[in-house]
Amino acid sequence: MSQRKFYYFDNNATTRVAPEVVAAMLPFLSEYWGNPSSAYAFGNQVHQHVEKARAQVAALIHADPKEVTFTSCGTESNNAAIHSALATHPGKKHIITTAVEHSANINYGQYLQKHGHEVTYLPVESDGSLDLHLLDKSIRPDTAVVSVMWANNETGVIFPIEEIAAICRSKGVLCHTDAVQTPGKLPIDVKALGVDFLSLSAHKLHAPKGVGMLYVKKRTKFQPYIIGGHQERGRRGGTENVAGIIAFGEAAELAMAKLEDENTRVRALRDRLEQTILTTIPNTIRNGAKEPRLPNTTNIAFEFVEAEAVLLLLDQAGICASSGSACTTGSLDPSHVLTAMGLSPMRARGCVRFSLGIYNTNEEVDYLLKHLPPVIAKLRSISPLNPGHRDNDQYDIEGARVKHERDLAEALAEKDGDAVSA
Ligand code: PLP
C-alpha cells in the first residue's frame, strides 16, 4: 500500500507510531507470543517484559510500578477510576467533573445519572479555565470522586491539578485526572500532583491504539471495572495486550526524551502558526487561554465559515486537522467544549484545532500557511454569513445567522444523533 504525503496537524486525535516503538513491539507479535500468565518459561519471559514496560510507564509518571494498571484505552481508564470510587464508597452517589471533559467522562456521567447517581458538571470561564472556589463549594458529604482533565484535548488549556487535588484532600474526596493529552508535553509527577487516580492512553504518545493505563495511588481502595482473571494483580481481567504494552513502555521513554523538543521546537512551530493566522487572516480569534496551555495545540475561530468545509478543502491539499475531538467527528453538533466557554453554536462551528507533534517540520507549517488563507477566502466569498462580500451595508447578518441556525437545526433533527464522540 503506497501512501501519499499527508501534512498531519491532528496529534491530539492520535499520533504516528514511532519507528523505535514499532521495532520494540514486533518481536512480541512474532517470536515472543506466549501468554504472560503461563507458568512455563516461554510465558514467563513475556511476563518479564511486561513488567519492564510497567516500570518504564511508572518512570514516566514518577510512580511505583505496582501503582500502574494496564487497560485498553484512556476511556476505559477514566471509566474504571470513577467506577472504583463509587463502588468502594457505596454510600456516596455524587461525582464532580467538568463541562469540557472528553466524552469518556461526559457520556459516562450521563450513564451514571440514568442509574441513580448525581453528577455535577462544573462550568468553565470564557478562556476555558475553572473556578476553583466553585469546585470547593460543589463538594458534598456524598461526593465520591472529583474527575477533572489535566489538559483539554480541544483547546490545550491546562487545569491546576495540584490545587484541585489539594482541595479534594482537604475534603477527604478522591481525585482523578484524565492526563491523556499530557505525556511528552508536560512533566508528570503523580506525587507532586497529589492525585489518587491518573489516566493515560498509549496512542497519544507514539504507541499503537488499544492500550492505556490507570495509576492507582498506593493504599487506595480499588474495585475492578473489567472483572475476570487475575491479571494486573486482580485489578483488570483479560489477557494482556502484550505487544501494545511493550510499545507503551518504549513510548514512555521516548516521551521523556522528547519533552524538551516538544516544549521548545514544537512550541515555536505552534506559536508561529497561530500568530501568522491571527495576524494575516482577518476575523480570527484563538479559543482558550494563551497560557497555561499545551505547547502543541491551537484552536482558532474563523468567522463566517463552517469548519467542516475548511477541513474538507484542507484535506484536498493533504492537510489533516480537526474541528474538535476525533470522537465527535461527523456530528453536526458544535463542540461542547467551545459552547461551554460561551461561544455561540454558530461561532463554535467555525473553529479548527491544529495539534502539532514531534514529527512536524517548519516546511510543513509553511505548507499549511500557504494553503489555509485561500481556503478561508474562498469559503468566505460564498458564505451567506459573510457581510464582507456584499456591496451594500444593509446586509442582514443577524437574519442570515438565524436562517443558518434554523437550517442546521433541521439537518440535526433529521440526522438524529448517529455520531458519538478523541
Ligand atoms: N481523554 C482525553 C482528554 C482524550 O483526548 C482522549 C482521546 O482523544 C481520551 C480521553 C480517550 O482516550 P482513548 O482514545 O484511548 O479511549
Side-chain angles (χ1 to χ4, degrees), residues 12 73-75 102 149 153 178 180-181 201 203-204 422:
N12 288 7
C73 58
T75 300
H102 186 267
M149 69 199 324
N153 47 308
D178 171 350
V180 163
Q181 288 295 343
S201 175
H203 75 101
K204 309 289 185 182

Side-chain angles (χ1 to χ4, degrees), residues 103 107 154 306-309 311 322-337 339 345 348-351 408-409 411-413 415-422:
S103 47
N107 291 349
E154 294 193 27
E306 288 281 348
E308 295 308 316
L311 296 174
S322 74
S323 58
S325 155
C327 298
T328 43
T329 302
S331 162
L332 289 173
D333 293 334
S335 149
H336 69 281
V337 174
T339 49
R349 282 196 198 92
C351 298
L408 270 163
L412 272 172
K415 194 166 188 294
D416 204 12
D418 325 330
V420 206
S421 69

Side-chain angles (χ1 to χ4, degrees), residues 169-213:
R169 249 190 334 275
S170 74
K171 303 239 169 165
V173 172
L174 290 168
C175 182
H176 164 250
T177 190
D178 171 350
V180 163
Q181 288 295 343
T182 62
K185 302 170 197 160
L186 303 179
I188 310 175
D189 182 338
V190 283
K191 299 198 175 61
L193 285 174
V195 293
D196 303 289
F197 301 107
L198 177 143
S199 305
L200 296 183
S201 175
H203 75 101
K204 309 289 185 182
L205 55 143
H206 304 286
K209 294 143 197 71
V211 59
M213 183 234 55

